[in-house]
Amino acid sequence: MTTWKQTGCVLCAQNCGLKVQVENGRMVKVLPDRENPRSQGYACRKGLNVLYHQYQEDRISQPLKKVNGRFEPLSWDQAMDEIAEKMKAIVGQHGPRSLAYMGGSSQGGHMETGFGLSLLRGMGSKYYYSSSGQEFSGHWWVTGRVMGKQYNISGPDEHNTQMLVAWGWNGMESHQMPRAPLVLKQISKDPNRTLVAIDPRTSETAQIADIHLALRPGTDALLIKAMVAIIIDNGWENSAYLKDHVDGWDQVLPWFKGVDVHKAIQVCGLEYDAVLELCHLMTTRRWSFHQDLGIYMGRHSTLNSYFLHILGAVCGVFQTPGGNLIPGMVMPMGFHADERNPKVWKTMTTHMPPAAAGAFPPAVMPEEILSDHPQRLRAVYVSACNPLRAYPDTKAYEKAFNHLDLLVVNDIVMTETAYLADYILPCRSFYESWDTTFFPMTYPKIFCQLRRPLVSPPGQCLEASQIHTLLADRLGLIPEIPESLFKAAAKGDRMAYGGELMTWATQEPRAFKAMPFVLAKTLGKEWDSAAKAAFWGMLMTAPQPFREHAARAGFEPDFAQGDKIFQALLDKPQGLWVGKVNTDNPMACVKTASGKLEIYIPELADQAMALTPDDEAEDLRLPDEFPLVLNAGRHTRYTINSLMRNPEWNQGKRDCTIAVNHKDAEKLNLRDGAMAKITTAAGSEIGEIEISEAVAKGMVLIPHGFGFTHKGKIHGMNVNRLTQNTHRDPIGTPLHRYVPCRVEGLE
């Protein structure tokens, strides 16, 4: 009873291909899958340890309800009836703005998002919170203005670039690109290519880089402004590109005139000649950039992203081979939500827009719950995420969630968030479900993998999509489905079923808004998978751009194209290339009114103009009580949020430490391996000191995802107890890479 099955990792956005040995219904061994066309036999230690994710302590296998502070089991019917009754009562009394859905944040499965959003919208609400809003609000908002759609995120054409700039990105540890460590090493070793790292610390990526600019923490925006000014002062800008492909250049140009670049670079802690050399390379070579949380969650978060877009436009790297290109997508990672449209909601207390492609920033949720506004949040439905470990200010979240009228949590284990819930609903894991992800990580080809169940779920566990469907049914969001549609689904002819479905849907006014649920109740019933059924339906109704991409990959664009792609994915469990973008006209992907990069954003004009070396030098002065800067949420190969809660997967590793520079350690009398207390304006945590020359002087690094309870014992520090949800960019992104702190030895 031993078989090898092909699947994918569910622990990060790369979803590297895996081969899993299943013995007597249990996953027992994991290897990289060489047949996966995207990862090509690569997998990091996280994926190879995924058994620790699948088989965890505190697995939830039946619905639970909190009664007098304790959880008691109940049936699915009773759980759905009670949750639906309470949800309808709250929305009926306080309006749809009282309800929020927090989900769609999983690295392993995206199909539940469509169900969660359909349920939310069916109840009249638009308050969708996800990790996209946690990390990307400012960047995606800028992208929406410059590229026309918030989900039109460009990425480096790493295989054709002559120079790759890693800005605030440590790809050797955090990936964020297929086979990132291998690709970075290839570029580093190639004498005809250049790897650049711009990072305060000597990260693993910086250690192999040809050029490392170790800038002062928090000075990214000032450095980019100085670089654009240097390029203009030397006449190095790509004038032809600016003329043909950029709108608004004349309006932003004055911001970069008269900048004291020498003083700016001095404030950044860098040498002028090194910056000048890089600017010259950027204007004479085909280059691309990859940014990450060092930019997104750094000081001046949104301005960082904005200036990066301007720098790229000045050098002509966007939608250019070897530069930064908008990849093709099976499904966009969200939807465009321009807050200038009066129909787009904002939060009631903090007035935040859904800048991250329709997602609101989780940093503001505690305030939206604890507000005295008559339309405050009163009910939150959390699906497949753990806000108390993933989002800023754990104490604020604890207080807020305890203040709710209703908190419902879907998950596979008893997380810190689940402990606060009124109802806990047991999910199948991603290795017990059908699912897929839509991360657009490749260019020009488009990859997709339809993962299937490898093992059976325990107890009464259901897919998150199935749970959403049960609740939608109790809420009255699904129209009555004719018996003929159930019979058509049972016959097994997908195309005949599709014809029957469309015949009915065109006559039923409520059908299309409830389509994921209709597919789940009919086709999904036969397949025991709402997600699989909805995925088939999505492919069958794919928009024209994807149909054209699929045709370039060899799928004939007829009425059955979606079904053919679906069947191909069933036949190829390792995944396959399902599309290819049109490389002849990359600018066609830009969806602005002008068809060009629209780089003038009036809302940022004052901030962009006002950024000066003198003001920055003053603003960067740290208070005496907090003389160091905490980088809260360090990416390492030993962290994966709290998706693997058994510390044994890191046995023998120093997985959660307070990392400091050796000079700071000497000054503060800190000893490697000794215990110390770190304090911020939010609170204090105690942890083990790690002394490292790779850490920049004046910085402190703590990884994310720890401070969880395993077998009654807390493992590591919860770095989000050191962050405040109010310490954020004006567009909502928490500034986790710039948290003033102090460290005190305890020995």
Side-chain angles (χ1 to χ4, degrees):
M1 298 296 294
T2 299
T3 59
W4 284 92
K5 298 184 179 182
Q6 292 171 300
T7 185
C9 177
V10 298
L11 300 178
C12 98
Q14 300 315 305
N15 302 135
C16 295
L18 301 176
K19 290 182 68 175
V20 176
Q21 186 179 28
V22 179
E23 185 175 284
N24 297 322
R26 186 176 175 89
M27 297 164 57
V28 296
K29 189 175 182 180
V30 182
L31 295 174
D33 185 5
R34 297 183 183 276
E35 295 183 24
N36 184 290
R38 182 168 64 176
S39 57
Q40 303 172 41
Y42 173 81
C44 78
R45 70 177 299 271
K46 299 176 186 180
L48 298 179
N49 279 282
V50 81
L51 296 182
Y52 285 99
H53 171 70
Q54 172 62 25
Y55 299 111
Q56 304 197 51
E57 301 287 334
D58 294 331
R59 182 70 192 267
I60 304 167
S61 60
Q62 58 185 337
L64 300 172
K65 174 185 178 181
K66 187 176 288 180
V67 179
N68 297 324
R70 299 182 63 181
F71 287 108
E72 296 183 357
L74 72 168
S75 68
W76 274 110
D77 284 340
Q78 184 181 347
M80 291 296 102
D81 286 342
E82 292 185 9
I83 294 170
E85 181 181 356
K86 293 179 180 181
M87 196 175 287
K88 285 191 288 187
I90 291 169
V91 172
Q93 181 178 354
H94 302 287
R97 290 181 181 268
S98 62
L99 173 66
Y101 157 62
M102 179 174 272
S105 300
S106 172
Q107 308 287 339
H110 289 164
M111 288 308 300
E112 68 102 1
T113 311
F115 288 84
L117 286 174
S118 295
L119 191 152
L120 184 73
R121 291 165 181 164
M123 294 298 291
S125 179
K126 299 180 182 179
Y127 285 142
Y128 164 48
Y129 290 80
S130 82
S131 59
S132 297
Q134 160 85 343
E135 299 175 354
F136 310 129
S137 283
H139 185 72
W140 288 19
W141 180 79
V142 168
T143 299
R145 295 297 183 87
V146 176
M147 300 293 187
K149 299 291 181 183
Q150 290 170 350
Y151 50 77
N152 266 355
I153 310 300
S154 71
D157 184 12
E158 69 269 20
H159 299 295
N160 296 307
T161 197
Q162 293 176 333
M163 181 171 73
L164 177 62
V165 178
W167 203 312
W169 172 56
N170 184 18
M172 290 296 293
E173 293 283 301
S174 67
H175 291 77
Q176 310 296 324
M177 173 192 291
R179 307 167 65 250
L182 303 185
V183 172
L184 291 171
K185 289 177 181 177
Q186 288 170 358
I187 295 174
S188 175
K189 293 177 181 178
D190 189 334
N192 297 314
R193 305 173 80 190
T194 304
L195 178 63
V196 179
I198 302 179
D199 196 315
R201 64 191 180 98
T202 311
S203 67
E204 289 79 2
T205 302
Q207 290 170 24
I208 66 168
D210 301 289
I211 298 172
H212 175 211
L213 296 187
L215 78 170
R216 180 181 180 180
T219 61
D220 300 87
L222 184 62
L223 176 58
I224 304 170
K225 186 171 184 178
M227 292 173 72
V228 175
I230 288 172
I231 291 169
I232 293 169
D233 289 346
N234 286 278
W236 293 342
E237 67 269 24
N238 190 330
S239 299
Y241 183 90
L242 289 168
K243 178 182 177 181
D244 295 339
H245 301 304
V246 177
D247 182 78
W249 172 238
D250 290 340
Q251 291 165 288
V252 306
L253 178 59
W255 304 344
F256 304 97
K257 293 282 192 176
V259 176
D260 187 342
V261 295
H262 287 273
K263 187 164 188 178
I265 292 170
Q266 183 182 27
V267 172
C268 294
L270 299 172
E271 297 293 330
Y272 175 80
D273 288 344
V275 177
L276 179 68
E277 178 191 2
L278 180 57
C279 290
H280 185 258
L281 289 172
M282 286 179 166
T283 53
T284 56
R285 305 200 73 187
R286 189 171 66 244
W287 70 280
S288 59
F289 64 88
H290 194 305
Q291 73 287 337
D292 197 20
L293 301 185
I295 288 288
Y296 301 144
M297 289 185 161
R299 185 170 167 271
H300 293 313
S301 169
T302 301
L303 195 63
N304 292 340
S305 294
Y306 185 33
F307 277 173
L308 264 183
H309 277 80
I310 292 176
L311 175 63
V314 167
C315 297
V317 306
F318 287 113
Q319 300 308 101
T320 302
N324 278 60
L325 293 145
I326 299 170
M329 310 168 196
V330 176
M331 175 65 67
M333 293 287 290
F335 51 91
H336 187 60
D338 191 330
E339 79 282 356
R340 293 171 295 184
N341 182 341
K343 293 183 179 180
V344 173
W345 282 18
K346 292 185 179 180
T347 56
M348 300 304 291
T349 299
T350 56
H351 310 293
M352 285 289 175
F360 288 90
V364 307
M365 180 177 272
E367 291 158 89
E368 297 300 323
I369 295 170
L370 296 170
S371 166
D372 59 1
H373 195 286
Q375 296 186 68
R376 71 173 179 86
L377 285 183
R378 297 172 183 270
V380 178
Y381 185 24
V382 176
S383 183
C385 62
N386 185 11
L388 264 70
R389 287 299 172 272
Y391 298 146
D393 206 331
T394 300
K395 287 182 284 189
Y397 259 100
E398 289 171 340
K399 182 178 179 181
F401 278 0
N402 280 314
H403 193 63
L404 286 169
D405 296 344
L406 177 66
L407 176 62
V408 180
V409 173
N410 297 342
D411 215 319
I412 64 173
V413 295
M414 184 66 76
T415 65
E416 291 76 14
T417 303
Y419 273 115
L420 300 182
D422 298 299
Y423 294 88
I424 306 174
L425 306 177
C427 279
R428 296 178 183 178
S429 79
F430 292 121
Y431 296 110
E432 299 158 0
S433 311
W434 290 89
D435 218 320
T436 189
T437 56
F438 303 114
F439 295 113
M441 297 291 184
T442 53
Y443 182 91
K445 293 182 179 180
I446 304 170
F447 178 79
C448 188
Q449 181 181 34
L450 180 57
R451 285 182 285 98
R452 69 273 334 272
L454 304 185
V455 292
S456 298
Q460 303 174 42
C461 295
L462 297 175
E463 287 179 350
S465 300
Q466 291 174 319
I467 297 172
H468 295 333
T469 302
L470 287 177
L471 183 54
D473 217 358
R474 296 305 203 283
L475 290 168
L477 304 182
I478 309 175
E480 184 176 352
I481 302 172
E483 185 62 29
S484 60
L485 200 51
F486 288 100
K487 290 181 179 179
K491 289 180 180 179
D493 185 331
R494 295 191 297 261
M495 295 304 294
Y497 164 81
E500 187 73 26
L501 175 63
M502 287 299 103
T503 298
W504 168 72
T506 55
Q507 300 170 0
E508 169 53 62
R510 301 171 60 201
F512 287 103
K513 288 186 177 180
M515 188 55 70
F517 305 126
V518 173
L519 287 160
K521 288 192 68 176
T522 54
L523 206 57
K525 178 184 177 182
E526 299 300 321
W527 293 346
D528 187 25
S529 174
K532 181 183 178 183
F535 182 64
W536 175 83
M538 187 194 77
L539 290 176
M540 290 297 294
T541 57
Q544 187 62 28
F546 175 71
R547 294 175 61 83
E548 294 171 0
H549 295 332
R552 281 188 285 272
F555 294 98
E556 187 177 352
D558 57 20
F559 71 98
Q561 184 193 58
D563 190 72
K564 293 174 184 175
I565 297 172
F566 183 79
Q567 186 59 52
L569 289 166
L570 291 178
D571 295 339
K572 298 284 188 179
Q574 69 270 34
L576 72 154
W577 303 112
V578 297
K580 182 180 179 183
V581 302
N582 182 3
T583 57
D584 295 333
N585 184 19
M587 286 300 295
C589 294
V590 176
K591 300 301 181 183
T592 57
S594 65
K596 298 180 178 182
L597 309 183
E598 297 184 353
I599 61 171
Y600 176 64
I601 301 179
E603 293 92 334
L604 295 178
D606 289 344
Q607 187 181 358
M609 178 66 82
L611 190 78
T612 67
D614 288 335
D615 288 343
E616 283 293 272
E618 182 63 31
D619 291 344
L620 286 162
R621 295 181 188 275
L622 292 166
D624 291 340
E625 64 174 326
F626 298 127
L628 304 173
V629 173
L630 167 64
N631 182 313
R634 175 187 185 184
H635 281 307
T636 79
R637 65 191 63 191
Y638 309 120
T639 61
I640 192 62
N641 215 318
S642 58
L643 293 175
M644 291 193 280
R645 302 171 64 85
N646 184 346
E648 290 181 7
W649 87 280
N650 281 332
Q651 192 168 24
K653 312 295 183 183
R654 301 179 75 181
D655 56 3
C656 186
T657 61
I658 303 172
V660 298
N661 180 273
H662 63 288
K663 292 182 180 179
D664 290 323
E666 183 178 349
K667 180 179 178 181
L668 297 171
N669 295 316
L670 302 174
R671 182 171 54 82
D672 190 78
M675 302 304 289
K677 181 170 74 170
I678 178 169
T679 303
T680 69
S684 300
E685 286 283 291
I686 293 175
E688 175 192 343
I689 289 291
E690 176 187 355
I691 299 175
S692 170
E693 294 187 16
V695 180
K697 188 176 182 298
M699 284 191 75
V700 179
L701 275 64
I702 298 178
H704 64 89
F706 291 94
F708 54 82
T709 301
H710 179 74
K711 293 185 176 180
K713 183 179 180 181
I714 296 176
H715 179 71
M717 298 165 282
N718 175 9
V719 75
N720 282 323
R721 290 195 178 277
L722 297 171
T723 62
Q724 292 179 304
N725 68 304
T726 53
H727 181 57
R728 61 182 182 241
D729 184 84
I731 209 74
T733 306
L735 305 183
H736 281 182
R737 295 304 183 265
Y738 199 86
V739 181
C741 71
R742 67 174 179 269
V743 179
E744 303 162 282
L746 297 179
E747 296 183 9

